[in-house]
Amino acid sequence: MTLAVFFGCTFIAFGPAFSLFIFTIARDPLRIIILIAGAFFWLVSLLLSSLIWFIAVKASNPQDEQLQKGLLIFGVMFSVLLQEAFRFLYYKLLRKAIEGLVALSEDGCSPISIQQMAYVAGVGFGLMSGAFSMINLLADSLGPGTVGIHGDSQLYFLTSAFMTMVLIFLHTFWGILFFHGCEHRRWWEIAAVVIMHLTVSGLSFCNPLYVGSLVPSYLLMVGAAAWAYLLSGGSAQNLRRFLLCLRSGASPQPGS
Amino acid sequence: MITFMNNSDSEEEPCNERTSLMSAESPPVPSYQDGLQASEAGEAQAHRKRRAGNSRGPNNIAGGEVSGSSIPVRESALENEEEELTLKYGAKHVIMLFVPVTLCMIVVVATIKSVRFYTEKNGQLIYTPFSEDTPSVGQRLLNSVLNTIVMISVIIVMTVFLVLLYKYRCYKFIHGWLILSSLMLLFLFTYIYLGEVLKTYNVAMDYPTLFIVIWNFGAVGMICIHWKGPLQLQQAYLIMISALMALVFIKYLPEWSAWVILGAISIYDLMAVLCPKGPLRMLVETAQERNEPIFPALIYSSAMMWTVGMAKPDTAARGPSQQTWDAAEDGREHLRSPLYAESQMSETRSPVPTRPVTSSDELEEEERGVKLGLGDFIFYSVLVGKAAATASGDWNTTLACFVAILIGLCLTLLLLAVFKKALPALPISITFGLIFYFSTDNLVRPFMDTLASHQLYI
C-alpha cells in the first residue's frame, strides 16, 4: 500500500467522473448547484436508511450471526429503494425549479433542460455514492499495511475502485433513464432502474467472488449506457458520425 | 429586494449589516482582534450583501436611503426585471461563494489531517474558562454550556463596545485595532503555522529564510487587505487568514464547547439579524445614516474575474478594501464608484468575446460580486475542521459536513432571493452541518463500515 496504490485507485474510481465533471459540469454554475444538491439528496437517503438499519441492529441480538446478516441484506435493499425514492423526489424538485427558471427567464425557456438536469443529478448521486464507498479506503491505502494478510482477497482495493467506477457510471445512466421515465410516464423505465440497482447491489454480495459481481455490473452498465444514449437522442447513425467526425465534418453536439 | 449582508466580522463580533442596497459600501466591520488571548469566537453573522443590490443603487445612493424605501417607487415591471436578473446571476454568485468557502475548508482539513499540532490539547482560551476534563457526562455538558455562555457574553459585550465606538466616531481606534489584528494574524499565526508544518514534514529552515518569507508574506498581506492589491491576491489572503483563525479555534476550543458554541452562535446570529433592537442592526443603521463605507479586511469580495482581469483598479469591486480614513471622502468615493466602474467596464467589456453585452444595467449587475464576511468562512471551516479532527478518522463525516454546509449556503442565498430581505447565513449551514455531523458519525459510519468490511455496495 503506497502512493502508487492510492493514486491508481483514485484515478480508476474517480477519473472518469471527474473528467465528466470538468468537461460538462464545471463551466455552468447552475449545473454545479444541481450536482451538489443531488449529492445532498443521496446523502439524506443514506442517512435515513442508516438510521433504520441502526435501529434494527440495536433492537436485535448482536450474537446472532444469521440475523445480523439478514439485517444487513435488508439494510442494503432498503437503502437502494430509498435512494431511488429520493431520486424521484429530486426529480420533483428539479421539475419545480425548471418551472421557476422558465418563469424568470427572458425568452420563456429554461437555461437548462430536464435531460441535462437528469444527467447532472445522476453524476451527483454517483459521485457522492462513490465518495462514500471509496474515500476511507483511499485514506487507508496511504498508510502501512498488507492487503488480505488474513486470507481475504488481495485485490480488495483494486476491485473496490473498479466497482466504484461502475457504480458512478450506473448512477449517471440511471439518472437519465429515471428522469426520462418520469417525464414520459413510462413506469417500466423507472421499474427497470430500480431492478437494475437492486441487482447490482445484490450482486455485490458475491464478493469476494469478483467475477460474479464486477462482470455482470459492467455488462449492466454497457446496457444502461446504450439505453440512456438512445433515450437522449443518440442513434447508431449519430455514433458513427461522431466516431468518423473528421470525415463528415459535422460532429454532433455532446450532451442532450 | 435581496440583500446579502456581508458579514464582516472579527473573531469577536459580529457585525451585521442588515440593510442592504443602500450603497456600494460594505457593511460595518467591527474591528477584529486576533491573538491567542484576544481572539474570541466571533459570531458569524452572516449577512451577505449583494452588490447587485447596490447596482440598482444609483437611485438609492443619491438619496442615501435604504433601498427598501425605494421599492414602492418602482414599477412592477422593474421589480420583475430585478427579480429575474437577481436569480439569473444568482447561480453565478452562489458558485463565487462556493469556491472560496471550499478552498478555506480544504486548507483547514488538509492541515488538521496532517499537522498534529492543531489536534493536540494545549490549554484553552480564557474565553472558555471551564475545563472539560471531568469524568461525568453531566458535569462536562454543564461546563461546555457555561463556556458557551461566557463566550457569547463576551461577543455581545464586544459588539456593543464596537457599536459605541462607531457611534461616537472613534474611527482611528477601530482602524488601529483592525491593523493590529491583521498584523498579529499575518505574522504571528503564520509563523506558528509555518513552524508546525515544517516540523511535521521534518524540513529544516534557517531563520534568515524564515524571516524573509514571513516578512514578505505578512507585508504583502497587509497591503493587499488594507490598501490595494490584485483582487485574487486579496481573496487568497482573506481565505488564508480565515483558515488560520479557524485552526486556532479548532485547537483551543474544547470539544463539546466547540459544538455548543457553534449552535449558540447560529441562534445568536438569527436573533441578532431578525430582532429590531440588536446592536448589529444599530450599527448598520448608523452606517447607513452616515452613508459611510465600512472597514475593510473583514469582507471577502468576489467580483467577476474577467472584470478585474484588466489592470485597471476595479474600484467598485474592491471598494471596501480601499479605505481612506476620511469618512466623507469614502462616502463620495463609493457613491461615485458604481457609476464610474460601469462606464469603464462597458469599454473593457467589448474585447471580451464570450460575454454578449446586453444592457448597461446588466453590465453593472454582472460586475458586482458577492461579498461574504470572514466570520462565515471561519465558522464553516471550524465545523468541517472539527469534523475532520474528531470523527474517528472517518472521511465520510467530513465530506457529509462539507456538502451540508454548501447546501445551507445555497439555500440561504435562495431564501435571500425569495424573501428579499437580509437573512443570516450561519444558521442554516451550521444547523445542517451539525445534523449531518452527528448523524453521520453515529449512524452512517457503522453502516458504511459494515458494508465495507463485506465489500457490499449500495
Side-chain angles (χ1 to χ4, degrees):
Chain A
M1 302 212 294
T2 55
L3 271 185
V5 172
F6 171 74
F7 279 114
C9 290
T10 308
F11 291 141
I12 290 175
F14 295 113
F18 277 143
S19 329
L20 284 177
F21 174 76
I22 289 172
F23 288 119
T24 58
I25 299 178
R27 296 292 167 83
D28 189 1
L30 203 50
R31 292 185 196 181
I32 298 182
I33 295 174
I34 296 176
L35 181 90
I36 306 247
F40 180 73
F41 270 74
W42 187 89
L43 197 59
V44 175
S45 83
L46 178 69
L47 203 87
L48 291 176
S49 52
S50 312
L51 178 68
I52 304 288
W53 177 82
F54 189 78
I55 293 174
V57 163
K58 285 297 176 205
S60 68
N61 180 14
Q63 310 300 349
D64 191 352
E65 290 288 334
Q66 283 294 83
L67 183 62
Q68 296 300 321
K69 184 95 176 148
L71 279 178
L72 196 60
I73 297 177
F74 161 72
V76 167
M77 297 302 151
F78 184 71
S79 176
V80 167
L81 293 173
L82 210 55
Q83 282 176 48
E84 297 305 327
F86 270 81
R87 209 195 291 271
F88 181 70
L89 285 175
Y90 195 39
Y91 164 75
K92 284 281 176 212
L93 181 72
L94 285 179
R95 262 250 138 262
K96 286 236 170 51
I98 278 202
E99 287 165 20
L101 285 172
V102 164
L104 291 172
S105 74
E106 285 176 339
D107 47 2
C109 67
S110 154
I112 187 172
S113 72
I114 190 76
Q115 290 91 349
Q116 289 171 333
M117 281 181 167
Y119 161 71
V120 175
V123 176
F125 266 61
L127 270 176
M128 204 58 183
S129 158
F132 261 65
S133 316
M134 202 61 198
I135 294 265
N136 278 334
L137 259 62
L138 291 175
D140 285 340
S141 74
L142 273 174
T146 307
V147 189
I149 198 170
H150 289 297
D152 304 304
S153 164
Q154 289 182 2
L155 296 172
Y156 185 79
F157 284 143
L158 215 53
T159 49
S160 298
F162 276 108
M163 195 69 197
T164 306
M165 173 172 77
V166 82
L167 257 186
I168 297 180
F169 273 136
L170 276 171
H171 270 291
T172 312
F173 301 134
W174 286 336
I176 300 174
L177 294 172
F178 197 95
F179 279 41
H180 185 266
C182 291
E183 274 291 290
H184 299 259
R185 301 277 183 273
R186 296 203 195 146
W187 308 116
W188 50 277
E189 278 178 8
I190 300 175
V193 168
V194 176
I195 291 176
M196 263 197 273
H197 198 167
L198 283 171
T199 312
V200 171
S201 286
L203 282 172
S204 68
F205 279 93
C206 292
N207 286 332
L209 186 67
Y210 296 121
V211 73
S213 67
L214 275 180
V215 173
S217 304
Y218 272 89
L219 291 174
L220 271 174
M221 180 194 83
V222 170
W227 194 2
Y229 183 66
L230 288 171
L231 284 182
S232 306
S235 63
Q237 273 252 326
N238 276 345
L239 194 58
R240 217 176 113 262
R241 254 190 287 154
F242 170 68
L243 290 174
L244 306 173
C245 63
L246 292 174
R247 254 194 261 162
S248 74
S251 46
Q253 293 299 319
S256 32
Chain B
M1 301 202 221
I2 301 174
T3 54
F4 282 157
M5 302 300 265
N6 285 339
N7 184 14
S8 16
D9 89 52
S10 77
E11 294 70 40
E12 2 122 341
E13 33 231 300
C15 190
N16 295 335
E17 186 180 77
R18 229 165 348 171
T19 55
S20 58
L21 319 176
M22 68 180 264
S23 66
E25 345 173 19
S26 29
V29 163
S31 33
Y32 83 25
Q33 191 136 37
D34 289 307
L36 294 172
Q37 282 149 348
S39 66
E40 308 160 44
E43 327 91 295
Q45 317 260 315
H47 304 273
R48 268 169 266 131
K49 180 191 245 166
R50 190 185 276 173
R51 282 290 239 176
N54 295 341
S55 60
R56 254 31 58 100
N59 304 331
N60 298 339
I61 289 175
E65 32 187 81
V66 183
S67 48
S69 56
S70 60
I71 286 187
V73 179
R74 294 176 187 276
E75 310 156 16
S76 58
L78 218 58
E79 258 187 38
N80 285 343
E81 189 191 278
E82 264 179 39
E83 255 184 50
E84 161 191 319
L85 283 176
T86 304
L87 223 62
K88 225 203 295 204
Y89 64 85
K92 253 175 264 168
H93 290 75
V94 172
I95 302 304
M96 285 200 292
L97 286 185
F98 272 11
V99 173
V101 170
T102 308
L103 280 176
C104 192
M105 287 193 221
I106 287 177
V107 171
V108 170
V109 170
T111 309
I112 292 276
K113 287 286 186 183
S114 53
V115 179
R116 290 270 156 260
F117 175 73
Y118 288 103
T119 42
E120 289 162 4
K121 277 285 298 167
N122 261 346
Q124 300 180 192
L125 295 171
I126 59 171
Y127 304 108
T128 52
F130 297 94
S131 160
E132 279 191 13
D133 275 335
T134 57
S136 84
V137 171
Q139 182 70 21
R140 191 172 183 187
L141 195 61
L142 181 69
N143 281 353
S144 49
V145 171
L146 291 173
N147 278 339
T148 309
I149 293 177
V150 170
M151 185 74 94
I152 300 282
S153 326
V154 168
I155 289 171
I156 295 178
V157 163
M158 298 301 286
T159 312
V160 170
F161 181 50
L162 185 82
V163 171
L164 289 175
L165 279 180
Y166 190 68
K167 241 182 155 61
Y168 295 113
R169 299 177 187 267
C170 310
Y171 297 126
K172 298 257 186 255
F173 189 93
I174 297 177
H175 190 51
W177 195 359
L178 258 180
I179 291 212
L180 198 66
S181 318
S182 350
L183 266 176
M184 208 182 309
L185 202 55
L186 281 170
F187 286 98
L188 179 67
F189 284 9
T190 309
Y191 168 71
I192 295 174
Y193 179 80
L194 193 59
E196 293 305 324
V197 169
L198 291 175
K199 264 189 238 172
T200 305
Y201 291 106
N202 208 16
V203 174
M205 187 185 265
D206 53 302
Y207 274 114
T209 313
L210 187 72
F211 174 74
I212 293 176
V213 167
I214 301 266
W215 169 252
N216 278 304
F217 180 82
V220 174
M222 290 300 289
I223 294 175
C224 270
I225 294 173
H226 290 277
W227 193 48
K228 297 184 218 245
L231 182 69
Q232 284 183 300
L233 197 60
Q234 186 194 24
Q235 292 173 337
Y237 269 106
L238 290 174
I239 292 175
M240 278 189 271
I241 64 179
S242 308
L244 283 173
M245 207 54 231
L247 285 169
V248 165
F249 279 143
I250 293 172
K251 181 171 172 63
Y252 288 106
L253 288 180
E255 274 208 34
W256 290 21
S257 306
W259 297 113
V260 184
I261 285 174
L262 275 172
I265 277 189
S266 315
I267 299 177
Y268 172 77
D269 196 22
L270 192 67
M271 293 200 314
V273 174
L274 301 177
C275 294
K277 268 303 170 186
L280 297 171
R281 191 169 189 162
M282 283 172 37
L283 194 61
V284 163
E285 284 167 2
T286 317
Q288 268 188 315
E289 281 165 35
R290 298 182 193 170
N291 208 15
E292 275 169 1
I294 312 295
F295 314 105
L298 292 180
I299 304 171
Y300 175 92
S301 154
S302 61
M304 307 282 274
M305 259 187 62
W306 46 277
T307 64
V308 275
M310 325 299 168
K312 65 172 175 59
D314 186 355
T315 51
R318 288 183 297 108
S321 58
Q322 300 160 25
Q323 189 200 80
T324 63
W325 279 110
D326 185 344
E329 204 177 297
D330 271 348
R332 268 181 277 122
E333 186 182 293
H334 281 279
L335 278 174
R336 274 204 317 266
S337 60
L339 309 169
Y340 180 66
E342 178 197 6
S343 59
Q344 274 204 335
M345 268 154 219
S346 38
E347 286 156 25
T348 54
R349 193 74 63 117
S350 32
V352 177
T354 52
R355 257 201 115 105
V357 171
T358 48
S359 71
S360 64
D361 258 320
E362 228 182 282
L363 277 182
E364 210 179 56
E365 296 310 322
E366 287 164 344
E367 293 312 327
R368 302 280 186 266
V370 197
K371 291 175 160 215
L372 180 60
L374 290 198
D376 295 329
F377 283 90
I378 292 174
F379 281 99
Y380 293 159
S381 309
V382 166
L383 194 147
V384 175
K386 268 283 183 210
T390 63
S392 352
D394 191 36
W395 282 87
N396 288 344
T397 316
T398 313
L399 197 58
C401 290
F402 167 70
V403 172
I405 287 180
L406 285 188
I407 290 293
L409 196 58
C410 198
L411 274 178
T412 310
L413 291 174
L414 190 69
L415 280 180
L416 272 174
V418 167
F419 286 110
K420 301 196 187 308
K421 67 173 185 177
L423 293 174
L426 260 197
I428 300 181
S429 287
I430 298 286
T431 309
F432 276 5
L434 288 175
I435 292 175
F436 274 84
Y437 171 75
F438 287 110
S439 52
T440 311
D441 201 30
N442 297 312
L443 300 174
V444 176
R445 190 173 45 89
F447 186 48
M448 295 305 289
D449 282 348
T450 316
L451 290 180
S453 65
H454 292 99
Q455 213 171 4
L456 298 175
Y457 287 87
I458 51 168

